[in-house]
């Protein structure tokens, strides 16, 4: 088996959410943040035949990058990565000590749905960095028929802020203010279809890659 670039990108992204990873048989991989505020799941092109644990995903990817497009040969306790005359023997971790998803999330009906483009997401991140805010948050509100994304500081209402109209809203008027810790938006690049519920959970589905995230809203949200 070889890992394609898309799968490597997904693994790198999952490693930013949770350093370790439990892989189950099949073509679905998932991860759960230690604080359980972010869960992600992806369908990949490769199919695994057994359960194994990786203690440090970034370390594993670094080992993988030592070789040129290595072939992966799985054994019970390790995987051997081989390319030409070079190989790496990488040992698995005990899955019982690793963090993994134990049940699926049942999403309630969405109270706000919209498309968040890669350009818009990048602008939000740039604003959070440029404004030098303490604990910057992404606020999503409905204003005059528009969905407005705003970067602000939850601790200081009078601090600098940035706003951007990201779409139209056709539903009934709402005064809800859905907020996210921007550091929790650990997403691979791309456009997303987003559903947010008043139960303070959201679902972000990538428009072209079969990956999705469930991200908890910040407690400062007003729903």
């Amino acid at each position: 088996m070889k890992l394609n670039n898309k799968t490597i990108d997904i693994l790198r992204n999952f490693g930013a959410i949770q350093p370790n990873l439990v892989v189950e048989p099949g073509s679905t991989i998932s991860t759960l943040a230690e604080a359980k505020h972010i869960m992600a799941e992806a369908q990949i092109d490769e199919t695994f035949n057994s359960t194994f644990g990786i203690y440090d995903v970034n370390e594993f990817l670094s080992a993988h990058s030592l070789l040129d497009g290595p072939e992966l040969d799985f054994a019970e306790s390790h995987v051997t990565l081989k390319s030409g005359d070079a190989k790496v023997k990488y040992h698995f971790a005990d899955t019982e000590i690793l963090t993994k998803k134990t049940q699926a999330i049942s999403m309630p009906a969405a109270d706000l749905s919209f498309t968040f483009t890669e350009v818009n997401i990048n602008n939000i991140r740039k604003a959070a960095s440029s404004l030098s805010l303490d604990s910057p948050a992404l606020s999503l509100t409905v204003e005059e028929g528009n969905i407005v994304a705003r970067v602000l500081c939850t601790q200081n209402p009078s601090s600098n802020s940035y706003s951007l109209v990201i779409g139209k809203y056709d539903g009934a008027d709402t005064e809800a203010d859905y907020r996210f810790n921007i550091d929790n938006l650990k997403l691979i690049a791309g456009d997303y279809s987003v559903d947010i519920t008043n139960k303070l959970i959201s679902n972000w589905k990538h428009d072209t890659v079969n990956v999705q995230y469930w991200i908890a809203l910040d407690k400062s949200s007003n729903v």
Side-chain angles (χ1 to χ4, degrees):
M1 172 194 293
K2 289 188 176 183
L3 301 179
N4 63 30
N5 289 335
K6 182 174 69 174
T7 298
I8 291 171
D9 287 343
I10 290 171
L11 288 173
R12 185 175 292 108
N13 171 250
F14 280 17
I17 296 171
Q18 167 61 254
N20 60 65
L21 181 71
V22 176
V23 178
E24 305 283 358
S27 298
T28 301
I29 58 174
S30 62
T31 191
L32 177 67
E34 200 67 40
K36 300 183 178 180
H37 58 303
I38 310 170
M39 190 176 88
E41 181 178 279
Q43 300 292 322
I44 60 174
D45 297 327
E46 300 81 4
T47 300
F48 297 105
N49 295 321
S50 60
T51 299
F52 60 92
I54 299 175
Y55 186 76
D56 188 326
V57 174
N58 289 325
E59 180 187 72
F60 170 76
L61 292 176
S62 293
H64 185 277
S65 69
L66 290 172
L67 308 178
D68 183 19
E71 189 79 26
L72 277 64
D73 184 13
F74 288 86
E76 183 176 350
S77 63
H78 65 275
V79 59
T80 301
L81 297 84
K82 297 181 288 186
S83 178
D85 294 329
K87 65 180 180 180
V88 172
K89 185 178 182 181
Y90 193 89
H91 288 271
F92 297 140
D94 182 355
T95 59
E96 295 301 316
I97 67 171
L98 305 182
T99 303
K100 61 181 177 179
K101 180 188 75 172
T102 56
Q103 61 184 25
I105 292 179
S106 179
M107 277 288 293
D111 295 290
L112 182 67
S113 299
F114 56 94
T115 296
F116 218 155
T117 68
E118 180 178 358
V119 171
N120 288 343
I121 294 171
N122 287 341
N123 285 337
I124 291 296
R125 287 178 172 147
K126 286 179 183 177
S129 175
S130 298
L131 295 176
S132 301
L133 302 175
D134 292 330
S135 302
L138 166 64
S139 165
L140 293 160
T141 57
V142 174
E143 301 174 19
E144 299 179 349
N146 293 316
I147 300 173
V148 179
R150 185 173 281 107
V151 177
L152 47 76
C153 176
T154 58
Q155 311 299 327
N156 182 8
S158 63
S159 65
N160 299 327
S161 65
Y162 167 87
S163 64
L164 175 69
V165 174
I166 61 172
K168 295 293 184 180
Y169 180 73
D170 298 325
D173 290 346
T174 175
E175 295 184 359
D177 183 355
Y178 302 101
R179 294 186 177 184
F180 295 88
N181 182 330
I182 291 179
D183 289 340
N184 291 342
L185 302 182
K186 300 180 185 295
L187 311 166
I188 63 171
D191 299 343
Y192 284 84
S193 298
V194 183
D195 290 332
I196 300 178
T197 82
N198 290 346
K199 302 295 185 181
L200 300 184
I201 187 69
S202 66
N203 180 224
W204 301 61
K205 291 184 179 179
H206 199 286
D207 284 356
T208 58
V209 179
N210 201 341
V211 60
Q212 59 181 321
Y213 305 80
W214 292 266
I215 304 175
L217 276 69
D218 190 80
K219 62 183 180 181
S220 66
S221 298
N222 179 27
V223 298

